[in-house]
Amino acid sequence: MQKRYTTWNEYLRKNFGEKIFKVPIDAGFDCPNRDGTVAHGGCTFCTVSGSGDMILEPEAPIADQFAAEVKQFHKKWPGVKKYIVYFQNFTNTHAPVEVLRERFEQAVSQPDVVGISIGTRPDCLPEDVVEYLAELNERMEVWIDLGLQTTYEETSEMINRAHDYATYVDAVKRLRVHGINVCTHLINGLPGETPEMMRENVRRMILDSDIQGVKLHLLHLMKQTRLQRDYHEGRLQLMNQEDYVQVICDQLELIPKDIVIHRLTGDAPRDLIIGPMWSLKKWEVLNSIDAEMERRGAVQGCKDIRQTEHVTY
């Protein structure tokens, strides 16, 4: 069925002419708000593995991780022959550029790799790192998965992001000077944020930053996270599926059609998640989003805010 929004799979097929695997890699990086560089404890929603809970062999050498993930993917899609490596968990530019080069080159030198996706924070992109990313971008498809999560400073402080919104806007500008693709991450359902605030997060992000992709996540309450305290003390209410679907569709209507939708909900290990448990039925959630967009007669960008408001970048 043709989606009413521009999917990551559609983008890859259009640009490469075939299905591409995105292969997650754990390169052993830490995070600046965990190791004391800017803060301690990490984001309140983050698990001890830094969003890398689904990686098969996180302790193995990079080449072995790559081989294990590809083998697993091929059980379902044996015909896929090209890959994008995804440095997923923690902050994958939080190291000297020499270290980044050594680890990234191990991954991109694997057979049939056509691109790299790097998960990081906007406060971990010094100029020498950006210059190396620009060099990579001349050789292959490069995406920077840039964690923003919220545009509200009060929410950012509550979840211990330890960077402000202006740092994010500046980081995108410096990446885009080199034509590097940016995919911004936002989380719906953060403590204290209303549906109107979630829509406003998208509005600000689109108007203030020249991005090429977006990941919209549902907040998962996970075991062994600081967010558990907020939940037990009543500062966090988990979203129900109906409200989440409505917010996602509202956001899709605002996002210009040329921006690739990399994700509309996230994955969480069943043994670690506290809630919302309905989120484990991922295809049911995605089907509900499709049904609601169809019911509205809506498509991505039908209320494109770039057409009605001033763009600042």
Side-chain angles (χ1 to χ4, degrees), residues 61-63 87 100-110:
I62 287 173
F87 285 79
L100 303 184
R101 184 183 294 273
E102 188 269 334
R103 296 183 192 178
F104 292 172
E105 294 297 334
Q106 287 185 58
V108 300
S109 66
Q110 296 304 309

Side-chain angles (χ1 to χ4, degrees), residues 272-312:
L272 292 179
I273 188 172
I274 298 172
M277 299 309 291
W278 56 261
S279 67
L280 294 174
K281 299 178 181 179
K282 183 174 180 179
W283 286 108
E284 182 178 305
V285 177
L286 293 174
N287 289 339
S288 295
I289 292 168
D290 291 341
E292 175 60 16
M293 291 292 282
E294 184 172 0
R295 186 195 68 79
R296 296 182 183 194
V299 294
Q300 178 185 339
C302 63
K303 298 179 181 178
D304 184 345
I305 54 177
R306 284 183 181 168
Q307 303 300 317
T308 58
E309 299 192 44
H310 178 64
V311 176
T312 58

Side-chain angles (χ1 to χ4, degrees), residues 16 30 39 49 55 89 99 113 119 125 147 171 192 212 284 305 310 313:
F16 291 98
D30 204 339
S49 64
I55 294 176
N89 56 319
V99 175
V113 168
L125 289 164
Q212 291 63 56
E284 182 178 305
I305 54 177
H310 178 64
Y313 53 80

Side-chain angles (χ1 to χ4, degrees), residues 7-35:
T7 68
W8 174 238
N9 185 54
E10 176 187 346
Y11 166 83
L12 291 175
R13 286 186 179 276
K14 180 178 179 181
N15 282 269
F16 291 98
E18 59 189 286
K19 187 173 181 63
I20 306 291
F21 279 155
K22 195 172 185 182
V23 182
I25 296 292
D26 182 341
F29 295 109
D30 204 339
C31 191
N33 67 344
R34 294 173 62 97
D35 66 10

Side-chain angles (χ1 to χ4, degrees), residues 17-18 45 66 73 102 133 144 159 201 262 265 269 271 284:
E18 59 189 286
F45 55 80
F66 180 86
F73 282 135
E102 188 269 334
L133 297 175
I144 301 303
I159 64 175
N201 279 328
H262 290 233
T265 186
D271 60 337
E284 182 178 305

Side-chain angles (χ1 to χ4, degrees), residues 122 146-159 161 163-169 172 184-191 193-209 211 214 216 251 305:
L146 200 56
L148 172 60
Q149 319 312 356
T150 180
T151 66
Y152 288 91
E153 304 297 358
E154 58 270 32
T155 307
S156 185
E157 291 178 10
M158 184 180 297
I159 64 175
R161 280 300 290 173
H163 70 75
D164 61 12
Y165 181 53
T167 300
Y168 158 79
V169 173
V172 176
T184 298
H185 293 216
L186 288 175
I187 296 179
N188 289 322
L190 289 170
E193 292 205 351
T194 64
E196 178 55 40
M197 294 170 73
M198 297 173 210
R199 290 189 288 270
E200 180 65 9
N201 279 328
V202 165
R203 190 190 74 85
R204 291 176 181 176
M205 173 190 69
I206 297 300
L207 294 180
D208 295 342
S209 55
I211 62 172
V214 62
L216 299 172
Q251 292 171 325
I305 54 177

